[in-house]
Every structure is written in structure tokens, then in C-alpha cells.
Amino acid sequence: MKPATFDYVVPRTVAEAVGALGDTERTAQVIAGGQSLILEMHLERVQPELVVDINRIPELDGMSVEGDELRVGALVRHAAFESPDAVPGPLGTLLAQAVVNIAHPPIRSRGTMVGSYGWAHPASEWCAVGTALDATVELAGPEGVRSVAAGDYFLGPFLTARRPQELITAVRLPLLGENTGASFIEHRRTHFCFAQAAVGTTLTVDDGVISDVRIGLVNSADRPVRARAAEHALRGAELGSLPSGPRVPDDHPFARAGRIAAEQDAAPLPEPFADVDYKRRIIAVLVARTLREAAKDQRARRAAREGDQR
Ligand SMILES: Cc1cc2nc3c(=O)[nH]c(=O)nc-3n(C[C@H](O)[C@H](O)[C@H](O)COP(=O)(O)OP(=O)(O)OC[C@H]3O[C@@H](n4cnc5c(N)ncnc54)[C@H](O)[C@@H]3O)c2cc1C
């Protein structure tokens, strides 16, 4: 199908873009990478009267480390995160492991992390990672700039706290310290499908004790989920020995945390090829595996540091 007709503007500054979005006479949509919006317009599920193209606004491009945060501008493409060295420390590992699950290279070269926050698909890898890490969403509107925590930003499928006149200028993610390991694992039917479920995990270990753990669940509810009950079960526990085989034994604390995440934190919705019970089983397995991989990553980083000091 062809999209319905619409007006099109190309602002050069954030202020001009916010001015265009503030036009109350017409329903407006921002276009960044266009990898979700154009499809939705062709399917006539979204019919904006005005499309605001932000691709000519230099101040929205680029990512930078600011204090202990990574600030990702609204024009940074998914592909920018494919190398684990693009972002310092374990956060770079987590983002690089997550991004390869997003569609395929042509889409990753156009689509943006911030666009994923604009779209708010429950199966978005970026939205779950940001929710687990307490990311902050920067919104510029007619009254100025405000920041919203990711946990308050996602309100449901394709539903967010963004007001129609607001432009997302950036997403800010906390950098992860050197005692942290990270892992992201996804399960889906074919390589190009959205996730049936996926999990991003970070694990911080101080003197053998799990001092912090973050678990983000993808497509495990009507919005991104931070698995707080599972995190609570692990925080303060001794890390101990790690399971060596491919399977995490049922009586290992990581497997128990997986079951807690699946039963208490997740609220999965059924899909044609994955009913609720199946999804809960996947979530339990993926949580346990990402915890094991994050712990391995944390130990490998520590060993590398100690090797450097010799
Ligand atoms: C075949 C296919 C497979 C895909 N697989 C995946 C997948 O596995 N995982 C995944 O997460 N995504 C997937 N996507 C979606 C893709 O990642 C998109 O790139 C992403 O959802 C949105 O980024 P975008 O920059 O293209 O946004 P656009 O399509 O330009 O915009 C999407 C929405 O966000 C709004 N928006 C964008 N930027 C802003 C902003 N700065 N301020 C306010 N609103 C804004 C737009 O108005 C629009 O409503 C897939 C897409 C396709 C076509």
C-alpha cells in the first residue's frame, strides 16, 4: 500500500523541530532512520499529516561519555554499537552483544537507538537494556528539556511518556564499572524475526559477593521489564563456582533466579508461535545463561587486569 499523503519538513535545529511538532493543527511523526515508521505508514497503521525529518540536525548526532554516563544522540545508528570497543568497558560488550540481534545490517545502518525508544516495541532489545540499567530519556519540548527514567518512560506497547510536541534528543546510559560482567542472549524463530524473548544481564562482583545485578527482559510483557525480584534474590549472595556444562543445573542460584524472573517479573503475552508457558520457559533459561555468561565475563576481565599488573 502507498502511505496517505503528508506534509514533510526538514528542520536544522532542535528548536525548529520542536516548533514543527508543536503544530497542533496536524498530527506529526518524527522520522529518524525510518525503519519502523515507513513500514507502518505503508501499512496505514500510522497516518501522520506532517513528517518531521530530524536527519539534518547536527546537534542530534554523535555519542559521548559525560561523567559516568554514555550519551547517545538521536541520530546514532544501531550499527555504531557493533564493535565492543565503540563504548568503554562492559557496557560496550553488552551493547555489542545486543545489537547484532536487531534485524540485519541494512536496517542497522539506518535505524537508531533513540528511534527504538520512540517506537517502544515490547521486543526492542535497546528498550529492555535501557530499562535494566536505569537509562534516562532526554525530551525537548516547548517548555524546555526534561529527563525521564526509562522505568517511567515505557507505558505499554508503542506507548510512552513522550508528549506529542516533544522530541527525544538523546538516551543516557550509565557506564559499567570494572568489576562488572555483561551478557545478552536472544531466542527467536528465524534470524530476521523479532525476539520471542531475550535477556540482557550485568553482574557486579566485589570480594566474591554479588554487589549488583541488572536483568532486562525483552518481549516478556507489554513493555520492557527489569526483573527486580530475580535481582533481589541474587544481590548480596556469594558468587561461588560457575556451572561448567552448557546447562545451568536446576539447583544453581542462577537457575532459581531464572525461574523467579519467569514467574514473578515477566508477564508474557501469547504469540502465534510462543504461548505464555513456552515464553516463561525460555525466559528462565535465558536469565540463568546470561547470569553465567556475565559472571564469566566479569572473571575474565579481572584476570586480564591482574595479568596487566604483573
Ligand atoms: C525487517 C525488520 C526487522 C526489525 N527487527 C528489529 C528487531 O529485531 N529489534 C528491534 O528493536 N527493532 C527491529 N526493527 C525496527 C528497527 O530497529 C528500527 O530501526 C527501530 O525500531 C526504530 O528506529 P528508527 O530510527 O528507524 O525510527 P523511525 O522508524 O524513524 O521512527 C520510529 C518511531 O519513533 C519515533 N521517533 C524516532 N525518533 C524520534 C525522536 N528522536 N523523538 C521522538 N520520536 C522519535 C517516530 O516518530 C516513529 O513513531 C526491525 C525493523 C524491520 C523493518
Side-chain angles (χ1 to χ4, degrees), residues 21 28-39 46 54 60 74 77-78 101-104 107 110-121 123-126 139 153 162 166-170 186 188 192-195:
L21 291 172
Q29 285 277 335
V30 172
I31 188 165
Q35 300 304 300
S36 295
L37 181 66
I38 297 290
L39 177 66
V46 177
I54 60 171
L60 294 178
R77 313 291 162 178
H78 302 310
N101 296 288
I102 299 177
H104 43 79
I107 289 175
R110 292 296 308 158
T112 61
M113 177 188 277
V114 168
S116 295
Y117 277 68
W119 192 231
H121 194 301
S124 159
E125 289 81 0
W126 289 148
L139 297 153
Y153 173 81
R162 183 182 80 84
E166 287 179 322
L167 177 73
I168 313 170
T169 47
E186 178 153 316
R188 57 189 161 192
F192 298 132
C193 290
F194 278 78

Side-chain angles (χ1 to χ4, degrees), residues 58-302:
E59 63 197 288
L60 294 178
D61 209 358
M63 59 178 153
S64 52
V65 171
E66 298 183 2
D68 55 3
E69 288 185 320
L70 177 75
R71 185 178 184 278
V72 181
L75 290 177
V76 176
R77 313 291 162 178
H78 302 310
F81 302 95
E82 285 177 8
S83 163
D85 300 327
V87 171
L91 181 61
T93 303
L94 181 65
L95 300 181
Q97 288 184 9
V99 72
V100 290
N101 296 288
I102 299 177
H104 43 79
I107 289 175
R108 295 203 291 271
S109 71
R110 292 296 308 158
T112 61
M113 177 188 277
V114 168
S116 295
Y117 277 68
W119 192 231
H121 194 301
S124 159
E125 289 81 0
W126 289 148
C127 299
V129 165
T131 299
L133 296 183
D134 279 337
T136 306
V137 185
E138 271 181 26
L139 297 153
E143 273 95 49
V145 178
R146 67 184 180 118
S147 296
V148 179
D152 299 325
Y153 173 81
F154 296 106
L155 303 178
F158 313 106
L159 194 64
T160 73
R162 183 182 80 84
R163 298 173 188 136
Q165 307 83 0
E166 287 179 322
L167 177 73
I168 313 170
T169 47
V171 168
R172 298 199 307 267
L173 293 157
L175 293 171
L176 301 173
E178 58 179 17
N179 290 338
T180 300
S183 171
F184 188 99
I185 307 179
E186 178 153 316
H187 182 77
R188 57 189 161 192
R189 283 182 66 233
T190 74
H191 186 70
F192 298 132
C193 290
F194 278 78
Q196 287 181 324
V199 178
T201 292
T202 68
L203 193 74
T204 307
V205 182
D206 290 299
D207 299 327
V209 171
I210 299 171
S211 54
D212 194 21
V213 52
R214 302 299 180 99
I215 303 170
L217 308 182
V218 177
N219 207 17
S220 303
D222 68 348
R223 66 194 77 179
V225 173
R226 179 172 168 195
R228 288 179 185 273
E231 293 175 4
H232 181 71
L234 288 168
R235 211 169 279 125
E238 298 238 343
L239 180 57
S241 60
L242 299 182
S244 52
R247 199 166 168 273
V248 180
D250 286 347
D251 59 351
H252 192 278
F254 291 168
R256 282 200 291 275
R259 291 194 293 276
I260 292 172
E263 295 301 327
Q264 297 179 30
D265 294 307
L269 303 173
E271 290 175 30
F273 297 98
D275 64 18
V276 169
D277 184 50
Y278 179 69
K279 279 197 176 184
R280 286 199 201 276
R281 285 167 192 240
I282 302 172
I283 293 162
V285 170
L286 295 184
V287 167
R289 286 189 189 166
T290 55
L291 283 163
R292 181 190 59 196
E293 295 308 310
K296 279 191 197 166
D297 181 47
Q298 188 273 337
R299 286 189 173 169
R301 286 174 196 280
R302 191 188 60 195

